[in-house]
Amino acid sequence: SAAGGHRVVCYDTLLDQQSGTHARLAAELRHALDDGEFHLLYQPIIDLGSGHVTSVESLIRWQRADGRVVSPADFIPVAEETGLIVELGAWVIDTASAQAADWHDRHGPHAPKVAVNVSARQLLDPALPRTVAAALARHSLPPHRLTVELTETAVFGGGPALATVRALAELGVAIALDDFGTGHSSLSLLRTCPVDVLKVDKSFIDGLNGAPEQEAIAVALSGIATSLHLRTVAEGVETAAQADRLRDLGYHHAQGFHFSRPIPADAVDALLPAAEPAALR
Ligand code: C2E
Ligand code: MG
Ligand code: MG
Ligand code: MG
């Protein structure tokens, strides 16, 4: 540039630029919701014993008008800050419940259960249990077919978030602790928070077959889960060797690119064990 690399950007200007970008993104998210630019993909969760797909995790995607797909890591934090996550989250819960009910109608007991992610801000919304109950009723979905994934950090410290989780559990939906082992207060939370599933974070799975300390943690987490009668899901499984090791270590379920990336709902259909031929339906 003409300034020869001596361009001085003062901190205030940088902050202004960032908050400008932030405000623009916040406004774009609002329009994206109104214009139907969000969709859900579903990542299979595999039973390590049978190799069958027993559930799927719904993962949101934003496909902008120009075709670019934005990752949730880039927009969920903004939606949380602006509060739009409450409305967006209600759309996720309704859409995932409709899909779960459709699978349940067509595949009966072989239908995959469906998990939805809820963020910290959603757990602070006292209406969340009503939102979930309404979606279950609207789609005639048995509650145990839906799993709500939340992080330890979101319920850390108890208070209103923990009360919301308890109300969700009372509805009969399953509760999963996501990214388990990376947040606050993992172990005491297991005494106070109703939990059905531990999703052991990818960072512990990455170290299997190599780092003894990592493996020791993966073993310990599986042991805790088993003694507390919780189901375990290993996240981020990328190799056959990891899957084999997890099976040996007593893990029940696994999820990761080794089995499948997140895929559209109709692609999940092709993976189901007892999928009836369309002609017989
Ligand atoms: P998460 O709930 O822990 O979801 C797992 C993430 O790991 C997904 O990223 C998934 O695509 C990715 N993943 C799965 N298997 C592998 C693997 O083998 N290797 C690697 N490297 N990655 C793997 P994604 O879809 O980008 O979502 C990121 C995060 O965004 C989620 O983490 C969740 O916290 C949040 N999120 C996604 N969808 C929603 C939603 O509908 N609502 C809310 N509130 N948050 C969401
Ligand atoms: Mg999750
Ligand atoms: Mg996770
Ligand atoms: Mg994660």
Side-chain angles (χ1 to χ4, degrees):
S1 73
H6 294 285
R7 200 160 56 101
V8 177
V9 179
C10 78
Y11 191 58
D12 282 350
T13 309
L14 253 181
L15 276 182
D16 280 353
Q17 284 170 355
Q18 280 171 356
S19 65
T21 308
H22 186 280
R24 189 170 345 109
L25 185 55
E28 285 171 347
L29 282 171
R30 170 75 261 168
H31 289 123
L33 186 54
D34 295 338
D35 296 349
E37 291 182 359
F38 293 103
H39 66 273
L40 296 182
L41 294 181
Y42 298 88
Q43 186 176 32
I45 298 174
I46 275 73
D47 179 322
L48 283 168
S50 69
H52 291 158
V53 178
T54 53
S55 54
V56 294
E57 177 178 4
S58 64
L59 293 160
I60 196 168
R61 296 292 181 266
W62 174 18
Q63 180 150 26
R64 307 180 62 127
D66 64 9
R68 269 186 304 147
V69 176
V70 189
S71 136
D74 293 330
F75 67 83
I76 292 288
V78 178
E80 282 212 70
E81 279 173 50
T82 62
L84 187 71
I85 192 69
V86 169
E87 201 181 324
L88 185 59
W91 176 85
V92 168
I93 289 161
D94 192 69
T95 304
S97 297
Q99 185 58 59
D102 177 54
W103 276 319
H104 191 223
D105 288 347
R106 290 189 291 117
H107 297 276
H110 301 292
K113 297 181 182 187
V114 176
V116 294
N117 290 284
V118 303
S119 60
R121 175 68 178 73
Q122 288 174 271
L123 287 177
L124 293 176
D125 171 20
L128 181 66
R130 278 199 296 283
T131 301
V132 171
L136 296 172
R138 191 175 304 120
H139 304 292
S140 306
L141 183 68
H144 70 275
R145 297 243 137 230
L146 190 70
T147 300
V148 174
E149 295 193 4
L150 43 102
T151 63
E152 303 154 273
T153 306
V155 272
F156 178 73
L162 184 56
T164 302
V165 179
R166 290 192 172 131
L168 287 170
E170 299 244 308
L171 292 176
V173 302
I175 306 294
L177 284 183
D178 205 351
D179 307 338
F180 188 74
T182 62
H184 293 296
S185 183
S186 315
L187 297 182
S188 64
L189 198 64
L190 296 178
R191 285 183 297 157
T192 54
C193 185
V195 178
D196 304 287
V197 181
L198 289 190
K199 298 195 73 175
V200 176
D201 191 70
K202 179 179 191 307
S203 57
F204 301 109
I205 308 308
D206 285 343
L208 291 177
N209 307 302
E213 308 83 2
Q214 289 290 93
E215 181 143 326
I217 294 172
V219 172
L221 292 178
S222 163
I224 289 167
T226 303
S227 13
L228 295 175
H229 306 291
L230 308 176
R231 279 173 282 145
T232 43
V233 179
E235 293 194 272
V237 178
E238 294 184 343
T239 69
Q242 287 171 339
D244 290 342
R245 192 76 192 110
L246 287 163
R247 202 178 292 110
D248 292 344
L249 295 179
Y251 276 76
H252 309 129
H253 297 94
Q255 172 181 6
F257 295 171
H258 169 62
F259 300 103
S260 172
R261 290 192 174 249
I263 52 179
D266 54 2
V268 172
D269 268 291
L271 302 176
L272 300 179
E276 289 173 53
L280 297 180
R281 286 208 290 270

